[in-house]
Amino acid sequence: MNVEIIGTGRCIPEVVVDEKEFLDHTFYNEKGELITSGNQQIINKFRAITGIRQRRYAAPGQTTSDLAAVAAARALDDAGIAYDRLDGIICAHNFGDVSHGSTAPNTVPSLASRVKHVLGISKPECVAFDVLFGCPGWLQGLIIARQFLLTGAARYYLVIGAESLSRVLDPHDRDAMIYADGAAATVLAATNNVGHGIQSHASLTFAQEELNYLYVGQGYAPDDRPGKGYLKMFGRKIYEFALQQVPMAMKQCLDQTGKGIGDLKKIFIHQANEKMDEAIVNRFYQLYGTVVPKDIMPMNIHLLGNSSVATIPTLFDLVRREEFEGHKIASGDLVMFASIGAGMNINAMTYIV
């Protein structure tokens, strides 16, 4: 028995936020000091490092679970199964349904339960629950669902990655320009096709010095309202940590399959930061004493930004549907998913299409 992805779907918000919209922002550093270098210079440097020119935000009336439900329906329709045949729904996110104009998390009821409600699934045996695992949450959801499917406890599982990070961003923090909103979903099925599907996976959590590399903190502006929590990060520490640990997890995952580095056709890595992702993949190939092949790593961060748990499944859906220019996958291709996120959590998975 094995586990295969039989359907995918995405929901890319329609609100486009171009880098030019940050020209009028007032930026402060973590000490509350005004940054006077000029916003165009800030934007140019940010683009050079992250690759991001645009990002997508949810509309004011949309919530994370709204985006998730759209992506879920599209994935189920793509899979061609009735909604009530699902045995479980996992929704990976980090802040829940944060309302426009607020930073307060809203996680009760679970987002997976809200999606189940919107989809009209009344079957009690379809268990719905959330996963909070930082940016690698969608991939961790696949790993969890796989266990239910392999034991025979389930036949079909829906795994969603959805986030509206625009609701928890400090407008006076330069790092806020990296984040975005979005959702994507996958339908998993237990099959007898052992030559396809999930081949291996690896997961790691580092919770000592790394625990607060990503955190919720006060705004940088001196007059910011006390008690309003924003998403913050120590970018340099995350970069150094990712470069050290993610390639090792990827190698651990690939080595489990018994296949070589040359067998990999695509790497779908979390769209966190273009330079960081390129450095991670370069280091991964260096571990095998070889160079990175051309077109091994599709990237869409330049237009969609970092939508956390939604980046990998969105990218995979685009490539799988042949809607991503210059990249496609075919039956029998070995691909890898890899991600890093808050915690610091790391995971990787190999998959044969």
Side-chain angles (χ1 to χ4, degrees):
M1 184 178 290
N2 205 1
V3 174
E4 292 186 66
I5 295 172
I6 63 169
T8 59
R10 66 184 185 272
C11 181
I12 298 175
E14 295 182 0
V15 178
V16 178
V17 180
D18 188 81
E19 59 186 10
K20 295 179 181 178
E21 298 193 30
F22 294 94
L23 285 172
D24 295 330
H25 281 229
T26 303
F27 292 110
Y28 296 86
N29 63 23
E30 63 276 9
K31 298 179 181 180
E33 300 167 339
L34 181 67
I35 298 173
T36 59
S37 57
N39 284 11
Q40 188 62 63
Q41 182 178 338
I42 291 171
I43 290 169
N44 291 344
K45 184 177 180 181
F46 175 84
R47 188 200 317 134
I49 295 172
T50 67
I52 300 173
R53 301 195 304 269
Q54 295 179 343
R55 70 281 296 145
R56 298 294 184 98
Y57 286 177
Q62 287 180 313
T63 63
T64 303
S65 62
D66 290 334
L67 303 177
V70 172
R74 289 173 177 169
L76 285 164
D77 292 344
D78 182 50
I81 66 169
Y83 294 6
D84 60 5
R85 295 190 68 188
L86 283 177
D87 299 298
I89 301 172
I90 298 175
C91 186
H93 63 91
N94 296 292
F95 295 95
D97 277 354
V98 182
S99 301
H100 181 67
S102 170
T103 61
N106 181 351
T107 58
V108 179
S110 71
L111 267 61
S113 295
R114 299 181 201 197
V115 170
K116 179 180 178 180
H117 175 79
V118 172
L119 295 178
I121 302 173
S122 60
K123 172 183 166 184
E125 291 79 12
C126 176
V127 179
F129 62 96
D130 292 355
V131 169
L132 276 70
F133 198 69
C135 295
W138 169 80
L139 190 48
Q140 196 65 23
L142 292 191
I143 294 169
I144 294 168
R146 178 174 182 259
Q147 310 309 316
F148 286 104
L149 294 165
L150 286 180
T151 63
R155 178 66 189 279
Y156 298 106
Y157 245 86
L158 173 67
V159 181
I160 311 163
E163 193 60 87
S164 296
L165 291 176
S166 63
R167 307 286 166 83
V168 292
L169 301 181
D170 178 2
H172 303 292
D173 183 354
R174 291 167 294 180
D175 289 341
M177 291 191 291
I178 199 170
Y179 296 112
D181 305 340
T186 46
V187 180
L188 300 183
T191 74
N192 293 319
N193 193 357
V194 294
H196 294 266
I198 298 172
Q199 303 297 300
S200 65
H201 59 80
S203 297
L204 301 167
T205 293
F206 297 81
Q208 299 307 310
E209 294 180 5
E210 308 83 7
L211 182 64
N212 292 310
Y213 284 177
L214 202 69
Y215 64 100
V216 174
Q218 191 66 34
Y220 286 169
D223 59 349
D224 192 64
R225 183 168 63 87
K228 196 168 185 179
Y230 298 104
L231 179 61
K232 298 288 182 178
M233 68 175 175
F234 293 103
R236 172 52 58 178
K237 289 183 178 293
I238 292 175
Y239 181 94
E240 294 171 351
F241 175 82
L243 193 57
Q244 178 183 4
Q245 297 295 342
V246 179
M248 297 299 296
M250 294 168 70
K251 185 177 188 299
Q252 176 187 341
C253 186
L254 179 61
D255 289 349
Q256 290 178 38
T257 68
K259 297 184 181 296
I261 187 72
D263 295 317
L264 271 180
K265 301 302 182 185
K266 294 291 177 188
I267 296 175
F268 295 91
I269 194 167
H270 166 48
Q271 306 291 283
N273 173 318
E274 185 176 58
K275 295 299 183 186
M276 185 176 83
D277 288 350
E278 290 173 349
I280 288 171
V281 173
N282 273 315
R283 182 71 62 88
F284 173 53
Y285 275 84
Q286 287 173 10
L287 294 174
Y288 291 92
T290 187
V291 298
V292 180
K294 183 180 178 181
D295 297 329
I296 193 74
M297 183 178 66
M299 295 287 293
N300 62 359
I301 191 172
H302 59 293
L303 295 178
L304 298 183
N306 176 351
S307 57
S308 184
V309 291
T311 68
I312 297 179
T314 297
L315 187 59
F316 183 65
D317 181 59
L318 284 163
V319 174
R320 181 175 176 267
R321 293 174 182 267
E322 298 187 7
E323 297 176 5
F324 195 98
E325 186 176 356
H327 292 274
K328 61 173 60 177
I329 49 178
S331 178
D333 282 355
L334 177 68
V335 303
M336 174 176 281
F337 304 117
S339 187
I340 177 172
M344 298 293 294
N345 296 319
I346 294 170
N347 53 21
M349 174 181 285
T350 57
Y351 184 88
I352 295 180
V353 179

